[in-house]
mmCIF file of all heavy atoms in Angstrom:
data_model
loop_
_atom_site.group_PDB
_atom_site.id
_atom_site.type_symbol
_atom_site.label_atom_id
_atom_site.label_comp_id
_atom_site.label_asym_id
_atom_site.label_seq_id
_atom_site.Cartn_x
_atom_site.Cartn_y
_atom_site.Cartn_z
ATOM 1 N N ASN Q 160 0.765 -1.318 0.015
ATOM 2 C CA ASN Q 160 0.004 -0.005 -0.028
ATOM 3 C C ASN Q 160 0.926 1.260 -0.016
ATOM 4 O O ASN Q 160 0.449 2.274 0.588
ATOM 5 C CB ASN Q 160 -0.924 -0.007 1.257
ATOM 6 C CG ASN Q 160 -2.323 0.304 0.886
ATOM 7 O OD1 ASN Q 160 -2.698 0.205 -0.281
ATOM 8 N ND2 ASN Q 160 -3.163 0.601 1.860
ATOM 9 N N GLY Q 161 2.024 1.215 -0.692
ATOM 10 C CA GLY Q 161 2.857 2.330 -0.798
ATOM 11 C C GLY Q 161 3.771 2.595 0.448
ATOM 12 O O GLY Q 161 4.448 3.535 0.526
ATOM 13 N N THR Q 162 3.686 1.686 1.383
ATOM 14 C CA THR Q 162 4.522 1.821 2.669
ATOM 15 C C THR Q 162 5.548 0.618 2.632
ATOM 16 O O THR Q 162 5.149 -0.517 2.395
ATOM 17 C CB THR Q 162 3.723 1.775 3.877
ATOM 18 O OG1 THR Q 162 2.790 2.854 3.840
ATOM 19 C CG2 THR Q 162 4.585 1.880 5.150
ATOM 20 N N GLN Q 163 6.727 0.953 3.043
ATOM 21 C CA GLN Q 163 7.810 -0.175 3.092
ATOM 22 C C GLN Q 163 8.434 -0.161 4.490
ATOM 23 O O GLN Q 163 8.910 0.911 4.936
ATOM 24 C CB GLN Q 163 8.927 0.092 2.046
ATOM 25 C CG GLN Q 163 8.429 0.031 0.610
ATOM 26 C CD GLN Q 163 7.898 1.422 0.120
ATOM 27 O OE1 GLN Q 163 8.388 2.458 0.587
ATOM 28 N NE2 GLN Q 163 6.965 1.392 -0.747
ATOM 29 N N ARG Q 164 8.339 -1.354 5.105
ATOM 30 C CA ARG Q 164 8.934 -1.419 6.473
ATOM 31 C C ARG Q 164 9.834 -2.684 6.585
ATOM 32 O O ARG Q 164 9.503 -3.692 6.037
ATOM 33 C CB ARG Q 164 7.803 -1.519 7.519
ATOM 34 C CG ARG Q 164 7.156 -0.187 7.620
ATOM 35 C CD ARG Q 164 6.427 -0.042 9.001
ATOM 36 N NE ARG Q 164 6.018 1.296 9.207
ATOM 37 C CZ ARG Q 164 4.824 1.791 9.314
ATOM 38 N NH1 ARG Q 164 3.740 0.846 9.152
ATOM 39 N NH2 ARG Q 164 4.494 2.975 9.595
ATOM 40 N N ALA Q 165 10.897 -2.494 7.405
ATOM 41 C CA ALA Q 165 11.798 -3.576 7.548
ATOM 42 C C ALA Q 165 11.654 -4.078 9.053
ATOM 43 O O ALA Q 165 11.567 -3.337 9.967
ATOM 44 C CB ALA Q 165 13.264 -3.100 7.395
ATOM 45 N N TYR Q 166 11.763 -5.434 9.155
ATOM 46 C CA TYR Q 166 11.680 -6.073 10.516
ATOM 47 C C TYR Q 166 12.871 -6.856 10.789
ATOM 48 O O TYR Q 166 13.025 -7.995 10.103
ATOM 49 C CB TYR Q 166 10.354 -6.837 10.630
ATOM 50 C CG TYR Q 166 9.075 -6.187 10.473
ATOM 51 C CD1 TYR Q 166 8.611 -5.783 9.127
ATOM 52 C CD2 TYR Q 166 8.395 -5.782 11.620
ATOM 53 C CE1 TYR Q 166 7.463 -5.121 9.043
ATOM 54 C CE2 TYR Q 166 7.179 -5.034 11.408
ATOM 55 C CZ TYR Q 166 6.766 -4.689 10.139
ATOM 56 O OH TYR Q 166 5.557 -4.027 9.996
ATOM 57 N N PRO Q 167 13.836 -6.475 11.563
ATOM 58 C CA PRO Q 167 15.107 -7.258 11.830
ATOM 59 C C PRO Q 167 14.780 -8.423 12.805
ATOM 60 O O PRO Q 167 14.399 -8.135 13.974
ATOM 61 C CB PRO Q 167 16.001 -6.202 12.504
ATOM 62 C CG PRO Q 167 15.207 -4.904 12.560
ATOM 63 C CD PRO Q 167 13.783 -5.240 12.349
ATOM 64 N N PRO Q 168 14.981 -9.634 12.365
ATOM 65 C CA PRO Q 168 14.700 -10.800 13.238
ATOM 66 C C PRO Q 168 15.375 -10.712 14.579
ATOM 67 O O PRO Q 168 14.859 -11.170 15.584
ATOM 68 C CB PRO Q 168 15.138 -12.058 12.415
ATOM 69 C CG PRO Q 168 14.933 -11.576 11.031
ATOM 70 C CD PRO Q 168 15.245 -10.096 10.968
ATOM 71 N N GLU Q 169 16.629 -10.185 14.549
ATOM 72 C CA GLU Q 169 17.365 -10.079 15.852
ATOM 73 C C GLU Q 169 16.647 -9.197 16.914
ATOM 74 O O GLU Q 169 16.917 -9.312 18.026
ATOM 75 C CB GLU Q 169 18.814 -9.582 15.537
ATOM 76 C CG GLU Q 169 19.753 -10.570 14.947
ATOM 77 C CD GLU Q 169 20.231 -11.583 15.916
ATOM 78 O OE1 GLU Q 169 19.812 -11.535 17.115
ATOM 79 O OE2 GLU Q 169 21.095 -12.485 15.547
ATOM 80 N N LYS Q 170 15.803 -8.357 16.417
ATOM 81 C CA LYS Q 170 15.186 -7.360 17.331
ATOM 82 C C LYS Q 170 13.671 -7.607 17.497
ATOM 83 O O LYS Q 170 13.081 -6.784 18.228
ATOM 84 C CB LYS Q 170 15.450 -5.996 16.872
ATOM 85 C CG LYS Q 170 16.958 -5.636 16.699
ATOM 86 C CD LYS Q 170 17.193 -4.220 16.154
ATOM 87 C CE LYS Q 170 18.697 -3.776 16.260
ATOM 88 N NZ LYS Q 170 19.482 -4.602 15.291
ATOM 89 N N ILE Q 171 13.077 -8.607 16.868
ATOM 90 C CA ILE Q 171 11.633 -8.703 16.906
ATOM 91 C C ILE Q 171 11.330 -10.009 17.490
ATOM 92 O O ILE Q 171 10.076 -10.293 17.758
ATOM 93 C CB ILE Q 171 11.003 -8.554 15.552
ATOM 94 C CG1 ILE Q 171 11.399 -9.706 14.637
ATOM 95 C CG2 ILE Q 171 11.355 -7.136 14.962
ATOM 96 C CD1 ILE Q 171 10.724 -9.709 13.283
ATOM 97 N N TRP Q 172 12.153 -10.991 17.772
ATOM 98 C CA TRP Q 172 11.774 -12.363 18.068
ATOM 99 C C TRP Q 172 11.195 -12.582 19.460
ATOM 100 O O TRP Q 172 10.590 -13.620 19.762
ATOM 101 C CB TRP Q 172 12.977 -13.304 17.896
ATOM 102 C CG TRP Q 172 14.195 -13.009 18.779
ATOM 103 C CD1 TRP Q 172 15.242 -12.195 18.457
ATOM 104 C CD2 TRP Q 172 14.455 -13.412 20.035
ATOM 105 N NE1 TRP Q 172 16.101 -12.114 19.415
ATOM 106 C CE2 TRP Q 172 15.702 -13.005 20.531
ATOM 107 C CE3 TRP Q 172 13.700 -14.321 20.979
ATOM 108 C CZ2 TRP Q 172 16.220 -13.200 21.731
ATOM 109 C CZ3 TRP Q 172 14.361 -14.489 22.150
ATOM 110 C CH2 TRP Q 172 15.564 -13.937 22.565
ATOM 111 N N GLN Q 173 11.393 -11.578 20.325
ATOM 112 C CA GLN Q 173 10.808 -11.762 21.673
ATOM 113 C C GLN Q 173 9.389 -11.416 21.769
ATOM 114 O O GLN Q 173 8.465 -12.042 22.351
ATOM 115 C CB GLN Q 173 11.646 -11.010 22.725
ATOM 116 C CG GLN Q 173 11.285 -11.326 24.165
ATOM 117 C CD GLN Q 173 10.153 -10.468 24.736
ATOM 118 O OE1 GLN Q 173 9.915 -9.340 24.242
ATOM 119 N NE2 GLN Q 173 9.407 -11.015 25.703
ATOM 120 N N ALA Q 174 8.983 -10.284 21.057
ATOM 121 C CA ALA Q 174 7.599 -9.819 21.095
ATOM 122 C C ALA Q 174 6.729 -10.556 20.074
ATOM 123 O O ALA Q 174 5.547 -10.805 20.222
ATOM 124 C CB ALA Q 174 7.519 -8.291 20.846
ATOM 125 N N HIS Q 175 7.331 -10.934 18.889
ATOM 126 C CA HIS Q 175 6.645 -11.806 17.861
ATOM 127 C C HIS Q 175 5.627 -11.151 17.102
ATOM 128 O O HIS Q 175 5.349 -11.551 15.931
ATOM 129 C CB HIS Q 175 6.024 -13.028 18.534
ATOM 130 C CG HIS Q 175 6.979 -14.084 19.139
ATOM 131 N ND1 HIS Q 175 7.631 -13.928 20.285
ATOM 132 C CD2 HIS Q 175 7.502 -15.221 18.563
ATOM 133 C CE1 HIS Q 175 8.401 -14.906 20.459
ATOM 134 N NE2 HIS Q 175 8.362 -15.786 19.464
ATOM 135 N N ILE Q 176 4.865 -10.174 17.655
ATOM 136 C CA ILE Q 176 3.748 -9.570 16.922
ATOM 137 C C ILE Q 176 3.783 -8.092 16.972
ATOM 138 O O ILE Q 176 3.926 -7.470 18.086
ATOM 139 C CB ILE Q 176 2.477 -10.065 17.507
ATOM 140 C CG1 ILE Q 176 2.258 -11.590 17.386
ATOM 141 C CG2 ILE Q 176 1.200 -9.309 16.990
ATOM 142 C CD1 ILE Q 176 1.153 -12.191 18.161
ATOM 143 N N PHE Q 177 3.663 -7.422 15.814
ATOM 144 C CA PHE Q 177 3.792 -5.924 15.636
ATOM 145 C C PHE Q 177 2.729 -5.438 14.747
ATOM 146 O O PHE Q 177 2.368 -5.968 13.701
ATOM 147 C CB PHE Q 177 5.201 -5.600 15.120
ATOM 148 C CG PHE Q 177 6.337 -6.220 15.876
ATOM 149 C CD1 PHE Q 177 6.795 -7.478 15.596
ATOM 150 C CD2 PHE Q 177 6.912 -5.505 16.853
ATOM 151 C CE1 PHE Q 177 7.785 -7.958 16.383
ATOM 152 C CE2 PHE Q 177 7.936 -6.030 17.625
ATOM 153 C CZ PHE Q 177 8.382 -7.372 17.370
ATOM 154 N N GLY Q 178 2.224 -4.288 15.102
ATOM 155 C CA GLY Q 178 1.238 -3.569 14.257
ATOM 156 C C GLY Q 178 1.846 -2.404 13.554
ATOM 157 O O GLY Q 178 2.936 -1.939 13.876
ATOM 158 N N GLY Q 179 1.105 -1.942 12.547
ATOM 159 C CA GLY Q 179 1.510 -0.779 11.846
ATOM 160 C C GLY Q 179 0.593 -0.289 10.823
ATOM 161 O O GLY Q 179 -0.191 -1.094 10.259
ATOM 162 N N ASN Q 180 0.550 1.032 10.462
ATOM 163 C CA ASN Q 180 -0.285 1.615 9.494
ATOM 164 C C ASN Q 180 0.429 1.529 8.126
ATOM 165 O O ASN Q 180 1.508 2.178 7.994
ATOM 166 C CB ASN Q 180 -0.615 2.983 9.844
ATOM 167 C CG ASN Q 180 -1.621 3.607 8.907
ATOM 168 O OD1 ASN Q 180 -1.366 3.820 7.736
ATOM 169 N ND2 ASN Q 180 -2.856 3.932 9.420
ATOM 170 N N PHE Q 181 -0.174 0.885 7.120
ATOM 171 C CA PHE Q 181 0.400 0.795 5.828
ATOM 172 C C PHE Q 181 -0.580 1.541 4.849
ATOM 173 O O PHE Q 181 -1.553 0.963 4.396
ATOM 174 C CB PHE Q 181 0.613 -0.632 5.371
ATOM 175 C CG PHE Q 181 1.804 -1.228 5.969
ATOM 176 C CD1 PHE Q 181 1.852 -1.656 7.298
ATOM 177 C CD2 PHE Q 181 2.868 -1.591 5.184
ATOM 178 C CE1 PHE Q 181 3.025 -2.239 7.824
ATOM 179 C CE2 PHE Q 181 4.015 -2.169 5.747
ATOM 180 C CZ PHE Q 181 4.022 -2.549 7.058
ATOM 181 N N GLY Q 182 -0.328 2.841 4.625
ATOM 182 C CA GLY Q 182 -1.218 3.536 3.691
ATOM 183 C C GLY Q 182 -2.626 3.522 4.097
ATOM 184 O O GLY Q 182 -3.545 3.526 3.280
ATOM 185 N N GLY Q 183 -2.897 3.675 5.411
ATOM 186 C CA GLY Q 183 -4.225 3.723 5.806
ATOM 187 C C GLY Q 183 -4.881 2.364 6.264
ATOM 188 O O GLY Q 183 -5.998 2.291 6.787
ATOM 189 N N GLU Q 184 -4.121 1.294 6.091
ATOM 190 C CA GLU Q 184 -4.571 -0.050 6.464
ATOM 191 C C GLU Q 184 -3.650 -0.591 7.605
ATOM 192 O O GLU Q 184 -2.505 -0.442 7.558
ATOM 193 C CB GLU Q 184 -4.594 -0.953 5.313
ATOM 194 C CG GLU Q 184 -5.634 -0.640 4.163
ATOM 195 C CD GLU Q 184 -5.758 -1.775 3.228
ATOM 196 O OE1 GLU Q 184 -6.419 -2.858 3.522
ATOM 197 O OE2 GLU Q 184 -5.223 -1.616 2.101
ATOM 198 N N ASP Q 185 -4.356 -1.269 8.562
ATOM 199 C CA ASP Q 185 -3.608 -1.843 9.690
ATOM 200 C C ASP Q 185 -3.052 -3.175 9.249
ATOM 201 O O ASP Q 185 -3.909 -4.083 8.783
ATOM 202 C CB ASP Q 185 -4.625 -1.930 10.870
ATOM 203 C CG ASP Q 185 -3.901 -2.519 12.037
ATOM 204 O OD1 ASP Q 185 -2.669 -2.358 12.190
ATOM 205 O OD2 ASP Q 185 -4.616 -3.123 12.906
ATOM 206 N N VAL Q 186 -1.763 -3.376 9.368
ATOM 207 C CA VAL Q 186 -1.173 -4.655 9.051
ATOM 208 C C VAL Q 186 -0.511 -5.165 10.350
ATOM 209 O O VAL Q 186 0.193 -4.421 11.066
ATOM 210 C CB VAL Q 186 -0.156 -4.507 7.919
ATOM 211 C CG1 VAL Q 186 0.633 -5.816 7.719
ATOM 212 C CG2 VAL Q 186 -0.791 -4.150 6.666
ATOM 213 N N ILE Q 187 -0.718 -6.421 10.660
ATOM 214 C CA ILE Q 187 -0.094 -7.091 11.757
ATOM 215 C C ILE Q 187 0.960 -8.021 11.323
ATOM 216 O O ILE Q 187 0.697 -8.974 10.513
ATOM 217 C CB ILE Q 187 -1.174 -7.904 12.633
ATOM 218 C CG1 ILE Q 187 -2.363 -7.086 12.989
ATOM 219 C CG2 ILE Q 187 -0.482 -8.545 13.871
ATOM 220 C CD1 ILE Q 187 -3.449 -7.899 13.638
ATOM 221 N N PHE Q 188 2.228 -7.824 11.781
ATOM 222 C CA PHE Q 188 3.316 -8.657 11.340
ATOM 223 C C PHE Q 188 3.616 -9.681 12.445
ATOM 224 O O PHE Q 188 3.899 -9.292 13.611
ATOM 225 C CB PHE Q 188 4.556 -7.736 11.097
ATOM 226 C CG PHE Q 188 5.773 -8.463 10.585
ATOM 227 C CD1 PHE Q 188 5.989 -8.610 9.147
ATOM 228 C CD2 PHE Q 188 6.618 -9.185 11.319
ATOM 229 C CE1 PHE Q 188 7.111 -9.278 8.697
ATOM 230 C CE2 PHE Q 188 7.716 -9.798 10.879
ATOM 231 C CZ PHE Q 188 8.006 -9.864 9.543
ATOM 232 N N THR Q 189 3.571 -10.959 12.087
ATOM 233 C CA THR Q 189 3.828 -12.032 13.050
ATOM 234 C C THR Q 189 5.208 -12.670 12.706
ATOM 235 O O THR Q 189 5.517 -12.845 11.510
ATOM 236 C CB THR Q 189 2.746 -13.110 13.092
ATOM 237 O OG1 THR Q 189 2.912 -13.864 11.897
ATOM 238 C CG2 THR Q 189 1.393 -12.524 13.167
ATOM 239 N N TYR Q 190 6.016 -12.993 13.751
ATOM 240 C CA TYR Q 190 7.318 -13.637 13.497
ATOM 241 C C TYR Q 190 7.499 -14.670 14.463
ATOM 242 O O TYR Q 190 7.349 -14.554 15.685
ATOM 243 C CB TYR Q 190 8.437 -12.640 13.589
ATOM 244 C CG TYR Q 190 9.813 -13.267 13.439
ATOM 245 C CD1 TYR Q 190 10.159 -13.730 12.109
ATOM 246 C CD2 TYR Q 190 10.679 -13.452 14.464
ATOM 247 C CE1 TYR Q 190 11.359 -14.293 11.879
ATOM 248 C CE2 TYR Q 190 11.795 -14.116 14.287
ATOM 249 C CZ TYR Q 190 12.206 -14.469 13.004
ATOM 250 O OH TYR Q 190 13.473 -15.155 12.828
ATOM 251 N N CYS Q 191 7.876 -15.936 14.003
ATOM 252 C CA CYS Q 191 8.200 -17.165 14.816
ATOM 253 C C CYS Q 191 9.717 -17.386 14.651
ATOM 254 O O CYS Q 191 10.204 -17.694 13.552
ATOM 255 C CB CYS Q 191 7.422 -18.380 14.309
ATOM 256 S SG CYS Q 191 7.868 -19.818 15.272
ATOM 257 N N VAL Q 192 10.413 -17.174 15.788
ATOM 258 C CA VAL Q 192 11.836 -17.326 15.830
ATOM 259 C C VAL Q 192 12.322 -18.792 15.646
ATOM 260 O O VAL Q 192 13.300 -19.009 14.980
ATOM 261 C CB VAL Q 192 12.356 -16.788 17.142
ATOM 262 C CG1 VAL Q 192 11.978 -17.584 18.337
ATOM 263 C CG2 VAL Q 192 13.947 -16.681 17.032
ATOM 264 N N MET Q 193 11.443 -19.728 16.098
ATOM 265 C CA MET Q 193 11.817 -21.161 15.972
ATOM 266 C C MET Q 193 11.733 -21.666 14.507
ATOM 267 O O MET Q 193 12.417 -22.524 14.081
ATOM 268 C CB MET Q 193 10.983 -22.011 16.902
ATOM 269 C CG MET Q 193 11.169 -21.808 18.359
ATOM 270 S SD MET Q 193 12.797 -22.382 18.850
ATOM 271 C CE MET Q 193 12.773 -21.906 20.531
ATOM 272 N N THR Q 194 10.793 -21.050 13.728
ATOM 273 C CA THR Q 194 10.548 -21.395 12.361
ATOM 274 C C THR Q 194 11.366 -20.461 11.427
ATOM 275 O O THR Q 194 11.741 -20.848 10.288
ATOM 276 C CB THR Q 194 9.092 -21.382 11.972
ATOM 277 O OG1 THR Q 194 8.282 -22.050 12.977
ATOM 278 C CG2 THR Q 194 8.758 -21.945 10.654
ATOM 279 N N ASN Q 195 11.655 -19.299 11.961
ATOM 280 C CA ASN Q 195 12.317 -18.223 11.189
ATOM 281 C C ASN Q 195 11.307 -17.712 10.160
ATOM 282 O O ASN Q 195 11.665 -17.606 8.926
ATOM 283 C CB ASN Q 195 13.658 -18.585 10.596
ATOM 284 C CG ASN Q 195 14.442 -17.376 10.028
ATOM 285 O OD1 ASN Q 195 14.327 -16.360 10.643
ATOM 286 N ND2 ASN Q 195 15.115 -17.609 8.929
ATOM 287 N N LEU Q 196 10.091 -17.563 10.522
ATOM 288 C CA LEU Q 196 9.031 -17.207 9.588
ATOM 289 C C LEU Q 196 8.328 -15.918 9.856
ATOM 290 O O LEU Q 196 7.861 -15.702 11.028
ATOM 291 C CB LEU Q 196 7.973 -18.351 9.477
ATOM 292 C CG LEU Q 196 6.687 -18.073 8.642
ATOM 293 C CD1 LEU Q 196 7.188 -17.893 7.194
ATOM 294 C CD2 LEU Q 196 5.758 -19.235 8.799
ATOM 295 N N GLY Q 197 8.243 -14.993 8.906
ATOM 296 C CA GLY Q 197 7.469 -13.766 9.098
ATOM 297 C C GLY Q 197 6.238 -13.843 8.200
ATOM 298 O O GLY Q 197 6.298 -14.244 7.062
ATOM 299 N N SER Q 198 5.062 -13.608 8.810
ATOM 300 C CA SER Q 198 3.829 -13.625 8.126
ATOM 301 C C SER Q 198 2.970 -12.514 8.543
ATOM 302 O O SER Q 198 2.461 -12.398 9.701
ATOM 303 C CB SER Q 198 3.012 -14.935 8.492
ATOM 304 O OG SER Q 198 3.759 -16.076 7.987
ATOM 305 N N PRO Q 199 2.756 -11.453 7.662
ATOM 306 C CA PRO Q 199 1.969 -10.346 7.937
ATOM 307 C C PRO Q 199 0.520 -10.517 7.436
ATOM 308 O O PRO Q 199 0.364 -11.136 6.376
ATOM 309 C CB PRO Q 199 2.690 -9.173 7.277
ATOM 310 C CG PRO Q 199 3.706 -9.792 6.331
ATOM 311 C CD PRO Q 199 3.586 -11.276 6.420
ATOM 312 N N TYR Q 200 -0.404 -9.899 8.096
ATOM 313 C CA TYR Q 200 -1.808 -9.954 7.669
ATOM 314 C C TYR Q 200 -2.497 -8.545 7.700
ATOM 315 O O TYR Q 200 -2.213 -7.842 8.717
ATOM 316 C CB TYR Q 200 -2.601 -10.906 8.609
ATOM 317 C CG TYR Q 200 -1.991 -12.259 8.702
ATOM 318 C CD1 TYR Q 200 -1.201 -12.610 9.770
ATOM 319 C CD2 TYR Q 200 -2.219 -13.275 7.710
ATOM 320 C CE1 TYR Q 200 -0.651 -13.944 9.842
ATOM 321 C CE2 TYR Q 200 -1.626 -14.489 7.729
ATOM 322 C CZ TYR Q 200 -0.818 -14.847 8.847
ATOM 323 O OH TYR Q 200 -0.262 -16.024 8.913
ATOM 324 N N VAL Q 201 -3.187 -8.257 6.695
ATOM 325 C CA VAL Q 201 -4.109 -7.075 6.774
ATOM 326 C C VAL Q 201 -5.195 -7.316 7.875
ATOM 327 O O VAL Q 201 -5.834 -8.345 7.802
ATOM 328 C CB VAL Q 201 -4.771 -6.689 5.419
ATOM 329 C CG1 VAL Q 201 -5.632 -5.526 5.595
ATOM 330 C CG2 VAL Q 201 -3.650 -6.496 4.390
ATOM 331 N N ASN Q 202 -5.273 -6.378 8.755
ATOM 332 C CA ASN Q 202 -6.245 -6.589 9.927
ATOM 333 C C ASN Q 202 -7.643 -6.151 9.546
ATOM 334 O O ASN Q 202 -8.123 -5.159 10.078
ATOM 335 C CB ASN Q 202 -5.662 -5.772 11.140
ATOM 336 C CG ASN Q 202 -6.450 -6.236 12.390
ATOM 337 O OD1 ASN Q 202 -7.218 -7.128 12.433
ATOM 338 N ND2 ASN Q 202 -6.225 -5.421 13.435
ATOM 339 N N GLU Q 203 -8.266 -6.955 8.737
ATOM 340 C CA GLU Q 203 -9.592 -6.590 8.234
ATOM 341 C C GLU Q 203 -10.665 -6.810 9.241
ATOM 342 O O GLU Q 203 -11.758 -6.135 9.199
ATOM 343 C CB GLU Q 203 -9.917 -7.394 6.931
ATOM 344 C CG GLU Q 203 -8.955 -7.122 5.783
ATOM 345 C CD GLU Q 203 -9.213 -8.097 4.639
ATOM 346 O OE1 GLU Q 203 -9.860 -9.125 4.892
ATOM 347 O OE2 GLU Q 203 -8.741 -7.785 3.533
ATOM 348 N N ASN Q 204 -10.504 -7.647 10.237
ATOM 349 C CA ASN Q 204 -11.521 -8.078 11.141
ATOM 350 C C ASN Q 204 -11.197 -7.579 12.541
ATOM 351 O O ASN Q 204 -11.717 -8.138 13.589
ATOM 352 C CB ASN Q 204 -11.706 -9.542 11.119
ATOM 353 C CG ASN Q 204 -12.162 -10.085 9.769
ATOM 354 O OD1 ASN Q 204 -13.022 -9.444 9.157
ATOM 355 N ND2 ASN Q 204 -11.532 -11.094 9.272
ATOM 356 N N ASN Q 205 -10.397 -6.546 12.728
ATOM 357 C CA ASN Q 205 -10.061 -5.920 13.909
ATOM 358 C C ASN Q 205 -9.515 -7.008 14.921
ATOM 359 O O ASN Q 205 -9.906 -7.032 16.097
ATOM 360 C CB ASN Q 205 -11.293 -5.289 14.556
ATOM 361 C CG ASN Q 205 -11.001 -4.373 15.735
ATOM 362 O OD1 ASN Q 205 -9.948 -3.770 15.770
ATOM 363 N ND2 ASN Q 205 -11.929 -4.260 16.726
ATOM 364 N N MET Q 206 -8.620 -7.781 14.398
ATOM 365 C CA MET Q 206 -8.020 -8.847 15.258
ATOM 366 C C MET Q 206 -7.047 -8.162 16.312
ATOM 367 O O MET Q 206 -6.471 -7.101 16.041
ATOM 368 C CB MET Q 206 -7.234 -9.859 14.426
ATOM 369 C CG MET Q 206 -7.999 -10.643 13.428
ATOM 370 S SD MET Q 206 -7.015 -11.688 12.337
ATOM 371 C CE MET Q 206 -6.124 -10.595 11.397
ATOM 372 N N GLN Q 207 -6.964 -8.836 17.456
ATOM 373 C CA GLN Q 207 -6.004 -8.457 18.465
ATOM 374 C C GLN Q 207 -5.172 -9.668 18.757
ATOM 375 O O GLN Q 207 -5.589 -10.561 19.484
ATOM 376 C CB GLN Q 207 -6.687 -7.968 19.713
ATOM 377 C CG GLN Q 207 -5.749 -7.211 20.657
ATOM 378 C CD GLN Q 207 -5.149 -5.951 20.198
ATOM 379 O OE1 GLN Q 207 -5.947 -5.173 19.579
ATOM 380 N NE2 GLN Q 207 -3.887 -5.712 20.437
#
């Protein structure tokens, strides 16, 4: 959505879940350190 963000695994693995505004849309970034997997989702359903 016109927004670019970087998530450094070394600095995000303890909290695992991060929110952010991407061009007016809420995106939730999830990260699993054991799998080394980042999966972001557009928060269409007001997930917490």
Side-chain angles (χ1 to χ4, degrees):
N160 229 16
T162 300
Q163 300 84 32
R164 289 203 166 115
Y166 297 82
E169 284 284 3
K170 298 176 174 69
I171 67 174
W172 59 268
Q173 191 272 334
H175 291 81
I176 295 170
F177 304 87
N180 185 296
F181 282 72
E184 291 190 76
D185 182 26
V186 173
I187 306 173
F188 187 93
T189 73
Y190 178 71
C191 178
V192 64
M193 293 293 177
T194 310
N195 193 34
L196 173 62
S198 294
Y200 304 100
V201 177
N202 192 8
E203 297 173 341
N204 298 314
N205 195 30
M206 296 179 292
Q207 191 68 40

